[in-house]
Amino acid sequence: MDRLRPRQRLVFSGFTKAEIEKMEKLSVESRELLQSKEFCQKIAKSFSISSARAGKPNVKWTEVRSWFASRLKENTSKVPSFTGTPKNQSPIPETSPPNNEHQSSQTLEGVASQAGEKIPDLSELKFEAKSCKDGAWYDVDMFLTHRFLSSGEAEVRVRFVGYGADDDEWVNVKKAVRERSIPFEHSECNKVAVGDLVLCLQERRDQSIYYDAHVVKIDRKKHDIRGCRCLFLIRYNHDNTEERVRLKKLCYISGQRSK
């Protein structure tokens, strides 16, 4: 069996709405400026020290440059994405699903509908997808196209945030695509319970990757000026290894939070 390819992803959970709005305003600048290290470092630093990013990972300048690069490419190539379909335009074709592994640029709602899955309005949603190469979850930059397998299951080809076309992957719509997970706030540790499915940041010497995990045990501690000090024993689903982590490494998966 081939070894899983490591994906050198920085510790990052995505830009905030305000950060994206600021970068969109700056995207009118010249290509040379938007891709310069000094310019991107300045933007990343302003984001990282903002009060709106308290408790969240710092923004790296390479992530800013990758965002600008994707926007520049999108503006020049006009690659169709699933979130670009006007709300008054039906994403579902009039014909029935094509035969074996047919590909097109249909929207995710249309693919899901034909596969019998219910997907909400995508206009305000962000997604993450599970890589078939390492079993980890990565933020989705865009959905490129789709296909139906002979089994009737639908797959979409995704581009991950911070990665190029060489890392695009086909993923199963039902099993490997979901709404983007959200980091827990310090005040939300009481909402995490034993048995919960969470997304956990696994940090190793050469990489930091998000994997699904289940909470095995919780050691509640008194909070201090640093925030939540509780310890969570989690078991990773992909290899059954266990690790004690702080709340800052955990993200809640939509529909999985305990009541």
Side-chain angles (χ1 to χ4, degrees):
M1 179 177 179
D2 294 336
R3 292 183 61 187
L4 295 175
R5 180 188 63 177
R7 300 172 72 95
Q8 308 297 325
R9 186 180 184 183
L10 297 171
V11 183
F12 188 57
S13 58
F15 293 108
T16 65
K17 182 178 180 181
E19 291 167 350
I20 292 176
E21 290 177 349
K22 182 174 182 179
M23 289 190 293
E24 286 178 341
K25 292 179 180 179
L26 293 171
S27 62
V28 298
E29 301 291 343
S30 67
R31 177 183 293 270
E32 291 74 18
L33 179 61
L34 295 179
Q35 292 298 285
S36 70
K37 181 177 180 179
E38 183 179 357
F39 179 77
C40 293
Q41 284 178 328
K42 182 179 179 180
I43 300 301
K45 182 178 180 180
S46 69
F47 289 166
S48 296
I49 64 177
S50 171
S51 59
R53 186 157 280 278
K56 299 179 181 179
N58 289 336
V59 178
K60 306 296 184 182
W61 73 269
T62 51
E63 294 155 350
V64 175
R65 186 170 69 175
S66 294
W67 189 94
F68 282 130
S70 296
R71 179 52 57 93
L72 290 170
K73 185 174 182 180
E74 178 182 336
N75 290 340
T76 55
S77 63
K78 299 297 181 182
V79 177
S81 69
F82 291 96
T83 56
T85 304
K87 290 186 177 180
N88 61 352
Q89 177 180 336
S90 173
I92 305 176
E94 297 179 358
T95 57
S96 58
N99 290 329
N100 187 26
E101 299 191 2
H102 175 76
Q103 302 178 20
S104 75
S105 58
Q106 183 187 348
T107 64
L108 184 58
E109 298 108 312
V111 179
S113 296
Q114 293 184 14
E117 297 300 315
K118 293 184 179 180
I119 295 293
D121 176 26
L122 305 186
S123 58
E124 300 297 329
L125 296 182
K126 294 183 179 180
F127 295 87
E128 60 191 16
K130 185 177 181 180
S131 170
C132 62
K133 295 183 174 66
D134 57 14
W137 291 85
Y138 297 89
D139 293 342
V140 172
D141 185 20
M142 66 176 70
F143 298 99
L144 302 171
T145 185
H146 84 278
R147 66 186 180 187
F148 286 94
L149 304 181
S150 57
S151 62
E153 293 185 310
E155 291 187 337
V156 286
R157 190 163 182 80
V158 300
R159 179 158 299 163
F160 298 108
V161 172
Y163 293 92
D166 290 342
D167 292 303
D168 292 348
E169 291 185 29
W170 287 105
V171 297
N172 186 285
V173 171
K174 182 178 180 181
K175 302 176 182 178
V177 178
R178 67 190 181 198
E179 190 175 346
R180 191 173 296 179
S181 301
I182 303 174
F184 282 101
E185 301 290 343
H186 287 297
S187 60
E188 295 182 310
C189 65
N190 63 323
K191 297 181 179 180
V192 183
V194 172
D196 280 358
L197 174 65
V198 295
L199 186 67
C200 183
L201 177 64
Q202 184 186 69
E203 293 183 302
R204 295 292 182 262
R205 184 175 61 180
D206 59 342
Q207 61 187 17
S208 298
I209 300 180
Y210 286 91
Y211 284 107
D212 278 348
H214 279 85
V215 179
V216 177
K217 182 180 179 181
I218 303 175
D219 184 8
R220 304 286 183 184
K221 295 181 179 295
K222 186 177 180 179
H223 292 194
D224 58 25
I225 193 172
R226 294 169 292 180
C228 177
R229 306 308 297 164
C230 300
L231 286 173
F232 301 84
L233 177 63
I234 58 94
R235 181 181 296 121
Y236 292 106
N237 289 4
H238 68 290
D239 62 4
N240 287 322
T241 59
E242 295 185 352
E243 181 181 6
R244 291 185 182 276
V245 300
R246 300 286 186 185
L247 184 67
K248 65 181 181 180
K249 288 189 177 183
L250 303 181
C251 299
Y252 113 81
I253 300 170
S254 180
Q256 297 294 329
R257 178 174 289 179
S258 297
K259 298 182 179 179

